[in-house]
Amino acid sequence: MHIEKIKVLQGPNQWARFPVLEVRVDLGWLEEHPSHTLAGFNERLMEWLPSMIEHRCSIGERGGFFERLRTGTWMGHVLEHVTLELQTLAGTEVGYGRARETKKRGVYNVIIEYKEERFAIDCLHAAHRLLTAAIEGKSFDVEHAVENLREKLLLEQLGPSTRSIVEAAQRRDIPVRRMNEGSLVRLGIGSKQRRIVAAETDQTSVVGETIAQDKELTRLLLEEAGVPVAKGKPVFSAVEAWQVATEIGLPVVIKPRCGNQGRGVSVGLTTQDEVYRAYNVAISEEDEVVIERCLAGDDYRLLVVGDVLVAAARRLPPSVIGDGISTVEALVNKENQNPRRCADHAGTLSHLCLDAAAEDALREQGFARNAIPCSGQLVILRRNANLSTGGTAEDVTDSIHPDTVRLAIDAVRVVGLDIAGVDIMATRIDHSLSSQHGGVVEINACPGLRMHLEPTVGESRDVGSAIVSTLFKTEDDGRIPVAAVTGTNGKTTVTRLLAHIASTGGATVGIACTEGVWVGDRQLDTGDCSGPASARRVLAQPNVSTAVLETARGGILREGCGFDACDVAVVTNIASGDHLGLNEIDTPEQLAWVKGAIVAAVRSTGAAVLNAADPLVVDMKKWCRGRVIYFALDPELAVLAEHLASGGLGATIRDGWIVLCDGPRETRLASLEKVPLVHHGLVSFQVENALACAAAAWSIGIPLELVRLGLESFSNGAMGSPGRFNLLDLDGATVVVDYGHNVPSLEQVCKTLEKLPPAQRTAVYSAAGDRRNEDLLRQGELLGRTFDRIVIYEDAYRRGRSPGEITRLIAEGIARTRQTERRAVVESGGDWATSAAMVLDSVKPGDLVLLQPDTIEQTMPWLMERYGNRLRGIGFDKIAEGRPSDTDGVPLDPGHNKDDAPEL
């Protein structure tokens, strides 16, 4: 069994709404040998992983997967289940998987849910090794493998503090994205986003952090504010430390002035020798040292979030209990095997350590690291009780005296932090500090949350939710409106028109489409940006208040969608002849399955806007969790009519108006006469695009008056949707600039051009080399039936085809029409610019030219530079009526008023 390829689908995809691995596996000879035919295989697997009895599999009941093993299942399916189980055993509970055979016999796509990418891939490879051992009858140490995986997970996943905040955000359906290998996380998207680093937020004051880091400055400010603190001062030598200790009174604590996590802190010092050693420990951590008188009592940590105390814990110093046999060092090593203890704050508890501070504590108790304590004897390993040095915690949130609560909140205000840990010493936490000579020891910025999330004793506190509540109001989910657009044709036009409509109300719209990435009127990138990386880029911009994302097939197959969910998904159409035969997507039904990922990603409060005239698009309603809005040119279309009769929503055309339908109630939105894109309703595919946009804008709550204004102000020229049926006049000849490059789009263009008066018709045309031969031949047939002269070029999009191959196939398709229809002249024009110049330089008044751009960003500047003021923007209705375009058009020069006509 060979793993050929691993795809990481980070967003909603054709398999699931959540991240999955898509693993291409070649079973080899195992294709002929399902599980029940392999001697001893099932028995070994069930013995090694008995917990897989909980896998219900397709049988739907406990033990279902084991039953499938007994009756015989293929190894791709087994790999799926074992990988899921290893992830769960090592610490991330997942349960979704699929195994589907590809076109190639014995090769499967195995789909596996994951939460941590690298860890999941490690689990996949471990599962592969385990199955190989089971097949070959060799031994396999499952416990050791799971332990190794657990260690890898701890290294990769977020720490407990950050993870608690992230999980709290996810429970509120707030989007989450980890921004680096550390703890920097973005919560929310666009203009609603916030950022955290562990328990710090983007509203944590840098000044407050600076104050809290300086223990002496903090002590002085708190003392000034009337908060009880210990006496103390900075010291600059061990001798001075002992002198100050005798002045303020013993016992004392010595610590780095700006340290954290308990490093270099020594408490309960009563002798000169102890003070000297403690000073040396502290100075090794930081250049400045402070000494304070020890306050009596136990060590407590109070967590303040905003103006609320949300949790409190009594902290106990790290310790071990003797068994009468083991040394202190052996007891420490044994306790460090506790799965709750991990390095680098990755788990609930930290590792115990035997460093200089620990040896001092042992010495005070009469122990050394090789000493053997009596059975049941408590051995303290450190004077301080920080969790980061191995301490434990007991929840006391419900026991704190109200005066102490107010005091802790006031102390945090004095320092100026939004989230802080307040360290207090008190003999009785249920009594006021003033009654027992307790006080505040420190204020901690970025406090650890582990002691509150999983205390050793007592109730767990949901401190992550408290922090999220300070960042997002109760009704705020951290989301901006996100529209996803897909289909075979019309995607870019719908994307640009919908973005234009959204911007009419003042929204800053982020766009990703086949022509680039924009935030407002600022272009961030050029070229084809319809993939997931561009979508993520838009959603990361902090000034974007609405996002409109063209979502192409290729990106979904490669990485999944670039968003976790959308508010509206628009599917324009699914047609044959485009992108079929690639990535094992061979039929329109399979293409619909891939593009339907955006429909499955619609939130329950959102909507899918679907073309009612396309059965494959209509069928996508089964994947939609939200509402369905159908659009159709014909208001009597059965799918639309039945949907409206049952109270559904729709958009259609009635009496020359775009109307929005809520059940039987219709609202006139805009007259086709006033919507430039549709050329008075004569260009039917643009009317469909306008309907889809109107429905989508309606669904995300844009006021209808703004929707109407957007439809009426969107240019049908290069300023609106460049390269999408732009009509130009060149010295009396009509030039149609259209980027359509597949069979369905060419069919629509040819059908529309049939409405124009007879003329000498010329096409400058090509097709992408990754289209099927049959698609290139079909495009040739369409050209041959519509045009008198076809100039075929080859330029940027050969995509693996040999020179001249595209020209030959299109010309062959044209030749098929010559016997019964017009005899088109076919010419090879070379590259695009040469072909375009050859045709446009020789046009005559009344000629009609279809100019297909090779790239949009190349075509429009080239036209402007070569023909300048000779070009005019014109309306399709005027050409269809035979009116003289040279007097009706508007010159397209760079200095012309854009309010009068679209500029190139």
Side-chain angles (χ1 to χ4, degrees), residues 34 37 128 136 159 256 320 351 356 432 467 499 508 554 563 612 638 705 733 745 774 795 808 823 836 885 887:
T37 68
H128 183 254
E136 296 175 354
V320 292
H351 280 150
S432 67
I467 292 173
T508 299
F563 45 85
E705 179 61 20
S745 62
E774 60 198 81
D795 208 323
R808 179 182 59 78
R823 297 184 61 83
S885 57
T887 58

Side-chain angles (χ1 to χ4, degrees), residues 228-356:
V229 294
K231 292 181 179 180
K233 62 185 297 185
V235 291
F236 301 95
S237 70
V239 172
E240 185 183 6
W242 174 244
Q243 180 182 344
V244 173
T246 58
E247 292 173 0
I248 63 177
L250 300 168
V252 294
V253 55
I254 292 180
K255 54 190 174 183
R257 179 167 182 164
C258 297
N260 55 32
Q261 297 179 352
R263 288 193 291 267
V265 178
S266 301
V267 300
L269 310 174
T270 58
T271 69
Q272 183 178 17
D273 186 49
E274 288 175 350
V275 168
Y276 277 24
R277 285 200 304 270
Y279 179 87
N280 290 331
V281 169
I283 201 71
S284 68
E285 293 287 339
E286 208 251 333
D287 291 340
E288 295 187 56
V289 174
V290 295
I291 184 171
E292 295 173 355
R293 182 173 183 177
C294 278
L295 297 174
D298 293 327
D299 184 352
Y300 293 91
R301 165 63 64 84
L302 280 59
L303 180 65
V304 175
V305 178
D307 290 329
V308 180
L309 188 143
V310 298
R314 175 175 174 247
R315 300 190 294 183
L316 303 173
S319 63
V320 292
I321 298 176
D323 59 7
I325 300 173
S326 306
T327 65
V328 170
E329 187 170 11
L331 291 170
V332 167
N333 291 337
K334 182 179 179 181
E335 174 59 23
N336 281 338
Q337 298 303 309
N338 182 342
R340 298 183 70 189
R341 291 194 181 274
C342 303
D344 300 324
H345 306 272
T348 306
L349 299 172
S350 293
H351 280 150
L352 304 176
C353 60
L354 287 175
D355 56 7

Side-chain angles (χ1 to χ4, degrees), residues 842-863:
S842 60
V843 294
K844 300 175 182 177
D847 285 355
L848 174 64
V849 176
L850 171 63
L851 181 63
Q852 182 210 50
D854 189 44
T855 61
I856 300 296
E857 57 270 22
Q858 167 198 27
T859 301
M860 296 307 182
W862 183 88
L863 284 171

Side-chain angles (χ1 to χ4, degrees), residues 360-440:
D360 283 346
L362 289 173
R363 190 179 302 111
E364 291 172 13
Q365 302 166 80
F367 292 115
R369 64 170 60 209
N370 60 354
I372 300 177
C374 298
S375 179
Q377 186 175 10
L378 180 68
V379 180
I380 303 298
L381 299 175
R382 220 174 192 83
R383 294 190 181 100
N384 68 318
N386 295 67
L387 258 69
S388 56
T389 53
T392 58
E394 174 189 357
D395 179 70
V396 295
T397 305
D398 298 330
S399 304
I400 309 175
H401 192 276
D403 287 349
T404 305
V405 172
R406 288 192 291 271
L407 199 67
I409 294 171
D410 287 343
V412 173
R413 285 176 179 157
V414 168
V415 174
L417 291 169
D418 59 327
I419 301 169
V422 182
D423 291 345
I424 287 178
M425 296 296 293
T427 53
R428 291 284 301 271
I429 198 63
D430 56 345
H431 290 189
S432 67
L433 294 180
S434 59
S435 68
Q436 55 186 309
H437 305 294
V440 175

Side-chain angles (χ1 to χ4, degrees), residues 725-728 734-738 749 753 756 848-852:
F725 210 83
N726 305 142
L727 290 176
L728 308 174
T734 300
V735 180
V736 179
V737 182
D738 192 276
V749 169
L753 295 181
L756 297 179
L848 174 64
V849 176
L850 171 63
L851 181 63
Q852 182 210 50

